[in-house]
């Protein structure tokens, strides 16, 4: 009998930190909220915002679990941050409404305002660039996958670490959308805070696998805004093999990597 009680207690303890919850009606966007372990939550955790792609739009929050950060959390990934994953019903992401969700959580929990991160894919890649482009002073670093943006936002985007990634064979969002933004950002400060990775042979859905690895999360959480309000980019760790040459040096900074194309 004692063994059964112990097993039950252990089961409860292991699941006490599975704090994924749906938040509805509190801000303009309904969103998923995932809280980290209590030891992290008690020590001013960072915030990570995930912006989904068009296929996950709608009013059913469960769609946001299909791929991306929330999907990886449900598969067991432990993220040392408060994770916010809003859902847009239709159309493009509104940067002011994303900020509303961020500020709602910042009022609800004591967090590290010098460590606020955003990542997104496809429509969410556009959303990431639009959000940072308007509210760069609120964000520490961003990752935009197979998206695009408005070149008028380039100098705001240039002010913080940005990692833009795109597949060379993207059939849904042409790679030129990211190249245009890279060129615009580089014109502001020579791309000192920019990493651009063009993935050879990858189609649109292939970039979803980036959420499954550690590299994106590790790089984001390595970026920290200083007390003076500046962010000096921490580069990607050097790999054992040298990066492949890029075809378009004018519009490219960082690495070009070869992976197989895959669906989303």
């Amino acid at each position: 009998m004692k063994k059964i009680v112990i097993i039950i207690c252990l089961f409860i303890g292991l699941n006490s930190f599975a704090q994924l919850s749906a938040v509805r009606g509190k801000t303009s966007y309904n969103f998923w909220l995932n809280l980290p372990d209590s030891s992290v939550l008690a020590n001013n955790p960072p915030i990570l915002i995930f912006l989904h792609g068009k296929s996950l739009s709608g009013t059913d929050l469960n769609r946001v679990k299909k791929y991306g950060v929330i999907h990886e959390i449900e598969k067991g990934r432990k993220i040392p941050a408060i994770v916010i994953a809003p859902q847009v019903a239709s159309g493009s992401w509104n940067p002011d409404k994303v900020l509303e969700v961020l500020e709602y959580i910042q009022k609800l929990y004591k967090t590290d305002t010098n460590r606020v991160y955003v990542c997104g894919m496809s429509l969410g890649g556009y959303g990431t660039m639009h959000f940072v482009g308007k509210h760069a002073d609120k964000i520490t670093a961003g990752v935009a996958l197979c998206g695009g943006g408005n070149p008028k936002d380039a100098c705001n985007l240039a002010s913080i670490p940005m990692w833009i990634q795109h597949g060379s064979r993207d059939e849904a969002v042409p790679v030129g959308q990211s190249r245009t933004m890279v060129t615009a950002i580089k014109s502001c400060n020579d791309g000192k805070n920019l990493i651009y990775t063009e993935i050879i042979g990858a189609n649109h859905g292939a970039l979803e696998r980036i959420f499954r690895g550690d590299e994106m999360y590790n790089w984001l959480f390595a970026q920290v805004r200083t007390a003076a309000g500046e962010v000096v980019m921490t580069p990607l760790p050097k790999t054992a093999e040298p990066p492949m040459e890029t075809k378009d040096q004018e519009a490219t900074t960082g690495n070009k990597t070869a992976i197989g194309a895959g669906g989303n």
Side-chain angles (χ1 to χ4, degrees), residues 169-180:
R169 296 180 62 188
D170 193 321
E171 73 290 347
V173 180
V175 67
Q177 294 291 304
S178 283
R179 289 178 181 171
T180 295

Side-chain angles (χ1 to χ4, degrees), residues 123-210:
L123 180 71
Y126 281 93
T128 294
M129 289 204 231
H130 289 158
F131 182 42
V132 175
K134 187 167 185 180
H135 300 294
D137 59 320
K138 306 289 186 181
I139 307 300
T140 308
V143 172
L145 308 178
C146 53
N150 187 337
K152 292 181 180 179
D153 293 333
C155 290
N156 280 341
L157 288 160
S159 68
I160 70 167
M162 285 293 301
W163 188 1
I164 297 173
Q165 303 185 52
H166 216 121
S168 67
R169 296 180 62 188
D170 193 321
E171 73 290 347
V173 180
V175 67
Q177 294 291 304
S178 283
R179 289 178 181 171
T180 295
M181 291 306 298
V182 167
T183 300
I185 291 169
K186 289 181 70 175
S187 72
C188 296
N189 61 1
D190 293 325
K192 70 176 185 178
N193 291 323
L194 175 67
I195 300 172
Y196 176 51
T197 305
E198 192 169 300
I199 306 172
I200 298 173
N203 67 10
H204 192 68
L207 271 71
E208 183 272 335
R209 70 187 65 190
I210 291 168

Side-chain angles (χ1 to χ4, degrees), residues 4-21:
I4 294 174
V5 173
I6 291 171
I7 291 171
I8 292 172
C9 289
L10 285 172
F11 180 80
I12 293 172
L14 288 171
N15 286 277
S16 63
F17 299 118
Q19 300 183 61
L20 181 63
S21 58

